Amino acid sequence: MRSITTLDLQYAHRFYGFKGEAQYLHGHTGVLTIEVEDTVKPGVNMVFPCNEIQKTAWEVLKNFDHALILREDDPLLRQRPENENGVCPKCGYKKH
């Protein structure tokens, strides 16, 4: 028996340094399908509750949903200088 669940993700990225259309910032909609196969658990009537699969996967994936994903050397990621206490001298906030 199988328990199957899907999660939809939207994200934006670009291929910095690539020559072609993918060098420009653009977005995607992705679908992640998770399939768990095992014997049916008594009292649950499924292999593993789909809502539990979603909750566990979402703990990792929530950091990528509606995110801008860039390479570390992409100039769009302007580095803000921090002093030895981790405070930005321009705005006074800790770690951006």
Side-chain angles (χ1 to χ4, degrees):
M1 171 74 88
R2 296 182 184 137
S3 292
I4 301 171
T5 190
T6 60
L7 294 160
D8 296 324
L9 299 168
Q10 286 75 38
Y11 61 94
H13 76 118
R14 72 175 185 164
F15 290 112
Y16 175 63
F18 180 80
K19 300 299 181 214
E21 289 193 20
Q23 70 181 315
Y24 303 110
L25 193 58
H26 61 282
H28 294 279
T29 298
V31 177
L32 174 67
T33 301
I34 301 172
E35 184 176 321
V36 179
E37 189 170 356
D38 199 357
T39 56
V40 174
K41 305 292 183 234
V44 181
N45 286 342
M46 58 182 71
V47 172
F48 199 83
C50 291
N51 61 335
E52 288 297 319
I53 297 169
Q54 280 188 324
K55 189 165 64 171
T56 302
W58 188 247
E59 285 304 308
V60 175
L61 296 174
K62 68 182 176 187
N63 297 308
F64 298 97
D65 190 34
H66 290 88
L68 174 58
I69 302 169
L70 299 171
R71 284 183 9 185
E72 288 181 3
D73 62 340
D74 193 311
L76 290 176
L77 285 175
R78 254 188 19 228
Q79 296 294 323
R80 294 187 178 169
E82 297 172 348
N83 65 21
E84 65 277 358
N85 297 324
V87 176
C88 176
K90 291 184 178 179
C91 67
Y93 286 105
K94 280 189 168 267
K95 304 263 183 189
H96 291 274

